[in-house]
Amino acid sequence: MIIYNVTVKLTWQIADAWLAWMQRTHIPGVMATGSFTSYQFVKLLDIDEEEGPTYAVQYVANSKAEVDHYINVHAPRLRQDSMDRWGDQFIAFRTLMQVVQ
């Protein structure tokens, strides 16, 4: 099992609207690609929130090939939508993890 983690640091100016957009539009759009079987949306705690909150979405895929397909086919459009909506009011970084059992 592979986890595609996206961590996002926001400004307070967009925090409420961004959160609603993630829950209603962006995450459903990512899941509609068929690349992931489930996800978890979390808010990071015990960090400096002076400039804004930090969230992470952990998308679960059955294989790295499915994540690669998402990154190559779907991610450019979805990332551009984020940039068009929120501009420079967020910073995102992505990590790929393998579940060890």
Side-chain angles (χ1 to χ4, degrees):
M1 188 170 8
I2 303 295
I3 297 174
Y4 179 62
N5 183 83
V6 182
T7 303
V8 183
K9 174 75 172 176
L10 311 168
T11 65
W12 283 114
Q13 292 134 332
I14 67 166
D16 291 338
W18 180 89
L19 184 59
W21 172 76
M22 283 293 288
Q23 293 171 318
R24 295 181 189 139
T25 304
H26 187 74
I27 293 172
V30 171
M31 294 305 294
T33 68
S35 299
F36 303 102
T37 59
S38 62
Y39 71 92
Q40 185 168 311
F41 189 29
V42 299
K43 182 178 183 208
L44 278 65
L45 302 177
D46 295 334
I47 60 168
D48 180 7
E49 288 193 342
E50 184 176 331
E51 295 180 12
T54 301
Y55 291 89
V57 186
Q58 298 175 334
Y59 299 101
V60 178
N62 288 320
S63 69
K64 186 174 180 306
E66 289 174 333
V67 176
D68 290 343
H69 176 78
Y70 169 79
I71 290 170
N72 293 322
V73 175
H74 303 288
R77 171 182 49 84
L78 292 163
R79 289 179 187 175
Q80 187 60 52
D81 184 40
S82 297
M83 290 300 298
D84 292 346
R85 289 177 186 272
W86 312 112
D88 64 353
Q89 296 189 69
F90 75 100
I91 298 170
F93 69 90
R94 294 151 184 89
T95 52
L96 196 58
M97 300 174 273
Q98 183 174 23
V99 174
V100 178
Q101 298 193 28

